[in-house]
Amino acid sequence: MIVINAEKYFFRPAKFLKKSWILLTLTIVLIGDLYLNMNEIIKSARNLNQSISHDPMENFLTIASLPFLDLYTPDLTTIVTSDQNTPQPLSMTQLEETHPVSDNDIFSIPHGFEERVKFWTQIYSKYTSDDAVFHDSQDLSIIYKVVDLRPITQSSLHPFVKEHRVKRLIKNERQALITQLQSLKKNLNSKVLSEKNQTLFELLSTPKKKSQVTAAIENLRMQQGQKDFIEKALISSDSYLPLMEEIFIKKGLPKELTRIPFVESSFNLGARSRVGASGIWQIMPATGRKLMPNDLVDYRNDPIKATDFAATLLKFNLKVTDAWPLAITAYNHGPTSIKRISKKYKSKDLAEIIRRAYGSHAFGFASSNFYACFLAMLDVEKNRSLYFPETPRQTPLAFTTIQLKKPITYQKLLSWFNKDTEKTDQLNPHLASSIKKGSHKIPSGTVLYLPENILEYATQDFPRLAQRL
């Protein structure tokens, strides 16, 4: 609390007013900053359609990073397209000629999901993070334009300047599209439309009513391309997918479910969301508290333990929802909420639920597209040689699992890796940075992953410090 001594300033009104004005200005700035931050949090939550309940299973809220955020970051880049550089969308014929997305019919593309899956397949395999795709959020077959930001992102400008220009450009492009749509709405009944209006008229499948154009304005959305992220994800996933598939098969679950991390985190081992989700499965703290034994070890970032945990969650989701499309959507939206929505509309058909529930705060863009993203990623990963023919393949990780009997330093752990820091961190991403900096020891009881040939590097005190699992 700030207290002003009135007696001190009674005979010095100028000084009093000056300091009061400074305090008032600072207060306004702080309140304004708090307001903007709260708005951003609320906007993010609405965009992701995630709600928190007291049920830990319900709190399995996940960010995709990446694909669903409608916020503008330095990576979301684009400038008005040139015919030569702009990736062209895959035709439906091309998509139908690829192999099925699953080895069985469990995850075949359901009726009503064709355009959604096609759209996300393009996002994952054609458009990069330098491509901003302006599209209709309900009818994903409508792509208004692709904006290319390479002249900005690949320039020598300072990162702060790049970010500012990206935001300004995308804002201007969005407003330009809104203006064009408003012009079409105004002249919809005209016998002759301008060239731009005629293009929009045809793109919107010849709207008959102005309300259709109004809806198109409300549904205008920009989506960042993901091709460059997915290419890295495919390389990273080679190291873990065989073991992840084994975990799911042992639990009686389809191995295709192990492709969810592509959607959740682009298989980024270091993925962290602003709301606390962590690891390739983007597990929230409230849900994954069992994976967080202390402040120094977070097994949510351990691809092996997190996969086992995610398998348990997905099995629970299936039990609650009784349908895989709903169970997978529940991974993003929460099983209790999905069950409630399914019961409300008396249907387990996800396409029908989306059609009837879309636009409500309870079921928006992220939730309604999560299953389509999963199906698209199944197709892209399975047909990797078609979509990413030049992407190299990595050999699966081979390691020995141990558990510490006593605390050890990070330097001791490094000695068991023959001082290979990169390999140490790759196999043990669940260790806190403070351990790596030497501020803390690795606690006893911690599970670690070591090279298969550990005995070649381990010192004589290894049996005293750790045991194999």
Side-chain angles (χ1 to χ4, degrees):
M1 179 182 294
I2 299 174
V3 180
I4 298 176
N5 189 333
E7 294 182 0
K8 181 177 180 181
Y9 292 103
F10 185 80
F11 297 105
R12 291 182 285 178
K15 187 171 183 179
F16 171 80
L17 291 174
K18 180 179 179 181
K19 293 201 173 185
S20 297
W21 173 251
I22 293 174
L23 291 173
L24 178 61
T25 303
L26 288 173
T27 302
I28 293 173
V29 169
L30 289 172
I31 293 175
D33 186 60
L34 177 61
Y35 175 80
L36 291 175
N37 286 335
M38 288 301 298
N39 271 350
E40 184 177 359
I41 293 171
I42 293 170
K43 181 179 179 182
S44 298
R46 285 178 177 172
N47 281 344
L48 293 168
N49 299 286
Q50 297 170 330
S51 58
I52 299 177
S53 76
H54 296 291
D55 181 1
M57 299 302 292
E58 179 66 8
N59 278 334
F60 197 74
L61 312 179
T62 50
I63 298 281
S65 24
L66 314 167
F68 300 119
L69 291 184
D70 204 10
L71 305 176
Y72 302 134
T73 68
D75 291 324
L76 305 185
T77 57
T78 46
I79 227 183
V80 184
T81 56
S82 64
D83 294 334
Q84 294 180 346
N85 296 327
T86 302
Q88 297 302 313
L90 288 172
S91 67
M92 200 61 194
T93 302
Q94 288 175 296
L95 288 172
E96 289 170 350
E97 289 175 352
T98 63
H99 299 290
V101 298
S102 175
D103 292 334
N104 49 57
D105 293 334
I106 297 177
F107 300 119
S108 58
I109 301 175
H111 178 68
F113 266 75
E114 296 84 359
E115 290 297 339
R116 289 181 184 274
V117 175
K118 174 185 174 182
F119 174 82
W120 289 108
T121 300
Q122 294 178 74
I123 293 298
Y124 293 146
S125 64
K126 294 293 291 185
Y127 300 117
T128 73
S129 57
D130 284 328
D131 299 309
V133 182
F134 286 88
H135 66 97
D136 188 284
S137 61
Q138 288 201 46
D139 185 351
L140 297 186
S141 69
I142 299 177
I143 295 179
Y144 294 103
K145 68 163 65 173
V146 180
V147 180
D148 177 19
L149 252 186
R150 288 169 183 83
I152 296 177
T153 58
Q154 297 180 9
S155 69
S156 58
L157 294 171
H158 188 278
F160 178 80
V161 177
K162 289 182 182 181
E163 179 182 1
H164 176 72
R165 293 192 179 183
V166 165
K167 290 180 179 180
R168 183 174 61 185
L169 177 61
I170 293 179
K171 180 180 179 181
N172 292 342
E173 289 298 326
R174 185 189 294 273
Q175 186 57 50
L177 272 172
I178 292 175
T179 301
Q180 289 178 26
L181 288 166
Q182 289 173 336
S183 174
L184 172 61
K185 178 181 177 181
K186 182 179 180 180
N187 299 285
L188 188 60
N189 298 325
S190 300
K191 294 182 179 180
V192 180
L193 294 173
S194 67
E195 183 178 350
K196 288 184 177 181
N197 283 345
Q198 184 63 37
T199 300
L200 288 176
F201 184 77
E202 295 172 357
L203 194 60
L204 295 175
S205 302
T206 60
K208 305 299 181 184
K209 300 178 181 178
K210 290 185 177 181
S211 60
Q212 291 176 267
V213 184
T214 300
I217 294 173
E218 294 175 351
N219 295 334
L220 180 60
R221 183 179 182 276
M222 189 278 293
Q223 173 61 49
Q224 172 192 10
Q226 297 284 303
K227 181 180 179 180
D228 42 344
F229 298 134
I230 295 303
E231 185 171 19
K232 294 178 181 178
L234 288 169
I235 297 173
S236 177
S237 68
D238 286 339
S239 300
Y240 301 97
L241 277 180
L243 185 54
M244 292 169 63
E245 288 181 352
E246 183 180 337
I247 291 172
F248 270 69
I249 291 172
K250 284 183 178 179
K251 287 182 177 288
L253 297 171
K255 65 180 182 180
E256 288 91 346
L257 295 173
T258 58
R259 276 55 178 176
I260 289 177
F262 285 100
V263 180
E264 282 293 345
S265 64
S266 294
F267 232 100
N268 180 2
L269 297 181
R272 309 286 189 276
S273 80
R274 290 182 299 176
V275 295
S278 193
I280 62 172
W281 288 94
Q282 286 292 279
I283 301 173
M284 288 289 289
T287 305
R289 60 170 65 93
K290 290 183 179 180
L291 296 175
M292 306 163 66
N294 50 64
D295 294 337
L296 300 175
V297 177
D298 189 346
Y299 291 118
R300 294 181 300 159
N301 301 322
D302 172 359
I304 308 304
K305 283 187 173 294
T307 294
D308 187 81
F309 188 79
T312 301
L313 288 176
L314 285 163
K315 201 165 188 175
F316 175 83
N317 288 357
L318 181 63
K319 183 178 180 180
V320 172
T321 62
D322 198 31
W324 273 122
L326 297 181
I328 292 171
T329 303
Y331 190 89
N332 173 266
H333 193 73
T336 306
S337 293
I338 292 297
K339 183 179 181 180
R340 188 185 307 119
I341 295 172
S342 176
K343 185 177 181 180
K344 176 181 178 180
Y345 295 106
K346 299 179 181 179
S347 175
K348 294 180 181 178
D349 184 339
L350 183 58
E352 180 184 355
I353 292 174
I354 290 173
R355 179 179 59 81
R356 297 175 65 183
Y358 185 84
S360 66
H361 290 298
F363 206 70
F365 188 83
S367 298
S368 61
N369 279 276
F370 193 79
Y371 188 61
C373 287
F374 168 72
L375 294 179
M377 198 57 238
L378 270 184
D379 179 38
V380 171
E381 193 273 334
K382 181 176 180 180
N383 298 292
R384 174 176 177 170
S385 58
L386 175 65
Y387 293 109
F388 296 90
E390 298 180 1
T391 302
R393 291 185 179 271
Q394 306 295 317
T395 57
L397 285 177
F399 53 83
T400 296
T401 306
I402 69 164
Q403 186 172 31
L404 293 181
K405 296 178 181 178
K406 297 183 178 181
I408 64 169
T409 64
Y410 183 67
Q411 290 302 316
K412 170 59 72 175
L413 178 61
L414 276 178
S415 70
W416 294 343
F417 280 83
N418 197 25
K419 302 299 182 181
D420 188 338
T421 304
E422 183 178 351
K423 191 74 172 179
T424 304
D425 294 342
Q426 181 187 22
L427 282 176
N428 299 282
H430 51 290
L431 300 180
S433 58
S434 59
I435 289 177
K436 300 173 185 179
K437 293 176 182 177
S439 302
H440 296 92
K441 289 185 176 182
I442 306 173
S444 60
T446 301
V447 173
L448 298 172
Y449 303 100
L450 307 180
E452 273 192 320
N453 53 352
I454 174 64
L455 294 178
E456 296 180 17
Y457 306 116
T459 58
Q460 293 181 352
D461 60 355
F462 177 80
R464 180 176 60 85
L465 299 175
Q467 63 183 354
R468 294 195 183 198
L469 296 180

CSV table of all heavy atoms in Angstrom, one decimal, residues 268-302:
chain,number,residue,atom,x,y,z
A,268,ASN,N,8.5,-32.7,-30.0
A,268,ASN,CA,9.6,-31.9,-29.4
A,268,ASN,C,9.8,-32.3,-27.9
A,268,ASN,O,9.0,-32.1,-27.1
A,268,ASN,CB,9.3,-30.4,-29.5
A,268,ASN,CG,10.4,-29.5,-28.9
A,268,ASN,OD1,11.4,-30.0,-28.5
A,268,ASN,ND2,10.1,-28.2,-29.0
A,269,LEU,N,11.0,-32.9,-27.6
A,269,LEU,CA,11.3,-33.4,-26.2
A,269,LEU,C,11.3,-32.2,-25.2
A,269,LEU,O,11.0,-32.4,-24.1
A,269,LEU,CB,12.6,-34.1,-26.2
A,269,LEU,CG,12.8,-35.3,-27.0
A,269,LEU,CD1,14.2,-35.9,-26.8
A,269,LEU,CD2,11.7,-36.4,-26.6
A,270,GLY,N,11.6,-31.0,-25.7
A,270,GLY,CA,11.6,-29.9,-24.8
A,270,GLY,C,10.4,-29.0,-24.8
A,270,GLY,O,10.4,-27.9,-24.4
A,271,ALA,N,9.3,-29.5,-25.4
A,271,ALA,CA,8.0,-28.8,-25.5
A,271,ALA,C,7.5,-28.4,-24.1
A,271,ALA,O,7.3,-29.2,-23.3
A,271,ALA,CB,7.0,-29.5,-26.3
A,272,ARG,N,7.2,-27.1,-24.0
A,272,ARG,CA,6.6,-26.6,-22.8
A,272,ARG,C,5.5,-25.6,-23.2
A,272,ARG,O,5.8,-24.7,-24.0
A,272,ARG,CB,7.6,-25.9,-21.8
A,272,ARG,CG,8.9,-26.6,-21.5
A,272,ARG,CD,8.6,-27.8,-20.6
A,272,ARG,NE,9.9,-28.4,-20.1
A,272,ARG,CZ,10.5,-29.3,-20.8
A,272,ARG,NH1,10.0,-29.8,-22.0
A,272,ARG,NH2,11.7,-29.8,-20.4
A,273,SER,N,4.4,-25.7,-22.6
A,273,SER,CA,3.3,-24.7,-23.0
A,273,SER,C,3.2,-23.6,-21.9
A,273,SER,O,3.7,-23.8,-20.8
A,273,SER,CB,1.9,-25.4,-23.1
A,273,SER,OG,1.4,-25.6,-21.8
A,274,ARG,N,2.5,-22.5,-22.2
A,274,ARG,CA,2.4,-21.4,-21.3
A,274,ARG,C,1.4,-21.8,-20.1
A,274,ARG,O,1.5,-21.1,-19.1
A,274,ARG,CB,1.8,-20.2,-22.0
A,274,ARG,CG,2.8,-19.6,-22.9
A,274,ARG,CD,2.2,-18.3,-23.6
A,274,ARG,NE,1.1,-18.7,-24.4
A,274,ARG,CZ,0.3,-17.8,-25.0
A,274,ARG,NH1,0.6,-16.5,-24.9
A,274,ARG,NH2,-0.7,-18.1,-25.7
A,275,VAL,N,0.6,-22.8,-20.3
A,275,VAL,CA,-0.3,-23.2,-19.2
A,275,VAL,C,0.3,-24.4,-18.4
A,275,VAL,O,-0.4,-24.9,-17.6
A,275,VAL,CB,-1.7,-23.5,-19.8
A,275,VAL,CG1,-2.3,-22.3,-20.4
A,275,VAL,CG2,-1.6,-24.7,-20.8
A,276,GLY,N,1.5,-24.8,-18.7
A,276,GLY,CA,2.2,-25.8,-17.8
A,276,GLY,C,2.3,-27.2,-18.4
A,276,GLY,O,2.9,-28.0,-17.8
A,277,ALA,N,1.7,-27.4,-19.6
A,277,ALA,CA,1.8,-28.8,-20.2
A,277,ALA,C,3.3,-29.0,-20.6
A,277,ALA,O,3.9,-28.0,-21.0
A,277,ALA,CB,0.9,-28.9,-21.4
A,278,SER,N,3.7,-30.2,-20.5
A,278,SER,CA,5.1,-30.5,-20.8
A,278,SER,C,5.3,-31.8,-21.4
A,278,SER,O,4.6,-32.8,-21.3
A,278,SER,CB,5.9,-30.4,-19.4
A,278,SER,OG,7.3,-30.4,-19.6
A,279,GLY,N,6.4,-31.9,-22.2
A,279,GLY,CA,6.8,-33.2,-22.8
A,279,GLY,C,6.1,-33.4,-24.2
A,279,GLY,O,5.3,-32.6,-24.6
A,280,ILE,N,6.5,-34.5,-24.8
A,280,ILE,CA,6.0,-34.8,-26.2
A,280,ILE,C,4.4,-35.1,-26.1
A,280,ILE,O,3.7,-34.8,-27.1
A,280,ILE,CB,6.7,-36.0,-26.8
A,280,ILE,CG1,6.5,-37.3,-26.0
A,280,ILE,CG2,8.1,-35.7,-27.1
A,280,ILE,CD1,7.0,-38.5,-26.8
A,281,TRP,N,4.0,-35.5,-24.9
A,281,TRP,CA,2.5,-35.8,-24.8
A,281,TRP,C,1.8,-34.6,-24.2
A,281,TRP,O,0.6,-34.6,-24.0
A,281,TRP,CB,2.3,-37.0,-23.9
A,281,TRP,CG,2.6,-38.3,-24.6
A,281,TRP,CD1,3.8,-39.0,-24.5
A,281,TRP,CD2,1.8,-39.1,-25.4
A,281,TRP,NE1,3.8,-40.1,-25.2
A,281,TRP,CE2,2.5,-40.2,-25.8
A,281,TRP,CE3,0.5,-39.0,-25.9
A,281,TRP,CZ2,2.0,-41.2,-26.7
A,281,TRP,CZ3,-0.1,-39.9,-26.7
A,281,TRP,CH2,0.7,-41.1,-27.1
A,282,GLN,N,2.5,-33.5,-23.9
A,282,GLN,CA,1.9,-32.3,-23.3
A,282,GLN,C,1.0,-32.6,-22.1
A,282,GLN,O,-0.2,-32.2,-22.1
A,282,GLN,CB,1.2,-31.5,-24.4
A,282,GLN,CG,2.1,-30.8,-25.4
A,282,GLN,CD,2.9,-29.7,-24.7
A,282,GLN,OE1,2.4,-28.6,-24.6
A,282,GLN,NE2,4.2,-30.0,-24.3
A,283,ILE,N,1.6,-33.2,-21.1
A,283,ILE,CA,0.8,-33.6,-19.9
A,283,ILE,C,0.8,-32.4,-18.9
A,283,ILE,O,1.8,-31.8,-18.6
A,283,ILE,CB,1.4,-34.8,-19.3
A,283,ILE,CG1,1.4,-36.0,-20.3
A,283,ILE,CG2,0.6,-35.2,-18.0
A,283,ILE,CD1,2.1,-37.2,-19.8
A,284,MET,N,-0.4,-32.1,-18.4
A,284,MET,CA,-0.6,-31.0,-17.5
A,284,MET,C,-0.1,-31.4,-16.1
A,284,MET,O,-0.2,-32.6,-15.7
A,284,MET,CB,-2.0,-30.5,-17.5
A,284,MET,CG,-2.4,-29.8,-18.7
A,284,MET,SD,-1.7,-28.1,-18.8
A,284,MET,CE,-2.6,-27.3,-17.5
A,285,PRO,N,0.3,-30.5,-15.3
A,285,PRO,CA,0.8,-30.8,-13.9
A,285,PRO,C,-0.3,-31.5,-13.1
A,285,PRO,O,0.0,-32.5,-12.4
A,285,PRO,CB,1.2,-29.5,-13.3
A,285,PRO,CG,1.5,-28.6,-14.5
A,285,PRO,CD,0.6,-29.1,-15.6
A,286,ALA,N,-1.5,-31.0,-13.1
A,286,ALA,CA,-2.6,-31.6,-12.3
A,286,ALA,C,-2.9,-33.0,-12.7
A,286,ALA,O,-3.3,-33.8,-11.9
A,286,ALA,CB,-3.9,-30.7,-12.5
A,287,THR,N,-2.7,-33.3,-14.0
A,287,THR,CA,-3.0,-34.7,-14.5
A,287,THR,C,-1.8,-35.6,-14.2
A,287,THR,O,-2.0,-36.7,-13.8
A,287,THR,CB,-3.3,-34.7,-16.0
A,287,THR,OG1,-4.4,-33.8,-16.2
A,287,THR,CG2,-3.6,-36.1,-16.5
A,288,GLY,N,-0.6,-35.1,-14.4
A,288,GLY,CA,0.6,-35.9,-14.3
A,288,GLY,C,1.4,-35.7,-13.0
A,288,GLY,O,2.6,-35.9,-13.0
A,289,ARG,N,0.7,-35.4,-11.9
A,289,ARG,CA,1.4,-35.2,-10.7
A,289,ARG,C,2.2,-36.4,-10.2
A,289,ARG,O,3.3,-36.3,-9.6
A,289,ARG,CB,0.5,-34.8,-9.6
A,289,ARG,CG,-0.6,-35.8,-9.2
A,289,ARG,CD,-1.4,-35.4,-7.9
A,289,ARG,NE,-2.1,-34.1,-8.1
A,289,ARG,CZ,-3.4,-34.1,-8.5
A,289,ARG,NH1,-4.0,-35.2,-8.7
A,289,ARG,NH2,-4.0,-32.9,-8.7
A,290,LYS,N,1.8,-37.6,-10.6
A,290,LYS,CA,2.5,-38.8,-10.3
A,290,LYS,C,3.8,-38.9,-11.0
A,290,LYS,O,4.7,-39.7,-10.6
A,290,LYS,CB,1.7,-40.1,-10.6
A,290,LYS,CG,0.5,-40.2,-9.6
A,290,LYS,CD,-0.3,-41.5,-9.9
A,290,LYS,CE,-1.4,-41.7,-9.0
A,290,LYS,NZ,-2.2,-43.0,-9.3
A,291,LEU,N,3.9,-38.2,-12.1
A,291,LEU,CA,5.2,-38.2,-12.9
A,291,LEU,C,6.2,-37.1,-12.4
A,291,LEU,O,7.2,-36.9,-13.0
A,291,LEU,CB,4.9,-37.9,-14.4
A,291,LEU,CG,4.0,-39.0,-15.1
A,291,LEU,CD1,3.7,-38.6,-16.5
A,291,LEU,CD2,4.8,-40.3,-15.1
A,292,MET,N,5.8,-36.4,-11.4
A,292,MET,CA,6.6,-35.3,-10.8
A,292,MET,C,6.9,-35.5,-9.4
A,292,MET,O,6.3,-34.9,-8.5
A,292,MET,CB,5.8,-34.0,-11.0
A,292,MET,CG,5.4,-33.7,-12.5
A,292,MET,SD,4.1,-32.4,-12.6
A,292,MET,CE,5.0,-31.0,-12.1
A,293,PRO,N,7.8,-36.5,-9.1
A,293,PRO,CA,8.1,-36.8,-7.7
A,293,PRO,C,8.7,-35.7,-6.8
A,293,PRO,O,8.6,-35.7,-5.6
A,293,PRO,CB,9.1,-38.0,-7.8
A,293,PRO,CG,9.7,-37.8,-9.1
A,293,PRO,CD,8.7,-37.2,-10.0
A,294,ASN,N,9.4,-34.8,-7.5
A,294,ASN,CA,10.1,-33.7,-6.8
A,294,ASN,C,10.3,-32.6,-7.8
A,294,ASN,O,10.0,-32.7,-9.0
A,294,ASN,CB,11.4,-34.1,-6.1
A,294,ASN,CG,12.3,-34.9,-7.0
A,294,ASN,OD1,12.8,-34.3,-8.0
A,294,ASN,ND2,12.5,-36.2,-6.8
A,295,ASP,N,11.0,-31.5,-7.3
A,295,ASP,CA,11.2,-30.3,-8.2
A,295,ASP,C,12.4,-30.5,-9.1
A,295,ASP,O,12.6,-29.7,-10.0
A,295,ASP,CB,11.6,-29.1,-7.3
A,295,ASP,CG,10.3,-28.6,-6.5
A,295,ASP,OD1,9.2,-29.0,-6.9
A,295,ASP,OD2,10.5,-28.0,-5.4
A,296,LEU,N,13.1,-31.6,-9.0
A,296,LEU,CA,14.3,-31.9,-9.8
A,296,LEU,C,14.1,-32.9,-10.9
A,296,LEU,O,14.9,-33.0,-11.8
A,296,LEU,CB,15.5,-32.3,-8.9
A,296,LEU,CG,15.9,-31.4,-7.8
A,296,LEU,CD1,16.9,-32.0,-6.9
A,296,LEU,CD2,16.4,-30.1,-8.4
A,297,VAL,N,13.0,-33.7,-10.8
A,297,VAL,CA,12.8,-34.7,-11.8
A,297,VAL,C,11.3,-34.6,-12.3
A,297,VAL,O,10.4,-34.5,-11.5
A,297,VAL,CB,13.0,-36.1,-11.2
A,297,VAL,CG1,12.6,-37.2,-12.2
A,297,VAL,CG2,14.4,-36.3,-10.7
A,298,ASP,N,11.1,-34.5,-13.6
A,298,ASP,CA,9.8,-34.4,-14.2
A,298,ASP,C,9.7,-35.5,-15.3
A,298,ASP,O,10.1,-35.2,-16.4
A,298,ASP,CB,9.6,-33.0,-14.7
A,298,ASP,CG,8.1,-32.8,-15.2
A,298,ASP,OD1,7.4,-33.7,-15.3
A,298,ASP,OD2,7.8,-31.6,-15.4
A,299,TYR,N,9.1,-36.6,-14.9
A,299,TYR,CA,9.0,-37.7,-15.9
A,299,TYR,C,8.0,-37.4,-17.0
A,299,TYR,O,7.9,-38.2,-18.0
A,299,TYR,CB,8.6,-39.0,-15.2
A,299,TYR,CG,9.7,-39.5,-14.3
A,299,TYR,CD1,9.4,-39.6,-12.9
A,299,TYR,CD2,10.9,-39.9,-14.8
A,299,TYR,CE1,10.4,-40.2,-12.1
A,299,TYR,CE2,11.9,-40.4,-14.0
A,299,TYR,CZ,11.6,-40.5,-12.6
A,299,TYR,OH,12.6,-41.0,-11.8
A,300,ARG,N,7.3,-36.3,-17.0
A,300,ARG,CA,6.4,-35.9,-18.1
A,300,ARG,C,7.3,-35.7,-19.3
A,300,ARG,O,6.9,-35.8,-20.5
A,300,ARG,CB,5.6,-34.6,-17.8
A,300,ARG,CG,4.6,-34.8,-16.7
A,300,ARG,CD,3.9,-33.5,-16.5
A,300,ARG,NE,4.8,-32.4,-16.1
A,300,ARG,CZ,4.5,-31.1,-16.2
A,300,ARG,NH1,3.4,-30.7,-16.7
A,300,ARG,NH2,5.4,-30.2,-15.9
A,301,ASN,N,8.6,-35.3,-19.1
A,301,ASN,CA,9.5,-35.1,-20.2
A,301,ASN,C,10.3,-36.3,-20.6
A,301,ASN,O,11.1,-36.3,-21.4
A,301,ASN,CB,10.5,-34.0,-19.7
A,301,ASN,CG,9.8,-32.7,-19.4
A,301,ASN,OD1,8.8,-32.3,-20.1
A,301,ASN,ND2,10.2,-32.0,-18.4
A,302,ASP,N,10.0,-37.4,-19.9
A,302,ASP,CA,10.6,-38.7,-20.2
A,302,ASP,C,9.7,-39.4,-21.2
A,302,ASP,O,8.6,-39.8,-20.9
A,302,ASP,CB,10.7,-39.5,-18.9
A,302,ASP,CG,11.2,-41.0,-19.2
A,302,ASP,OD1,11.4,-41.3,-20.4
A,302,ASP,OD2,11.3,-41.7,-18.2
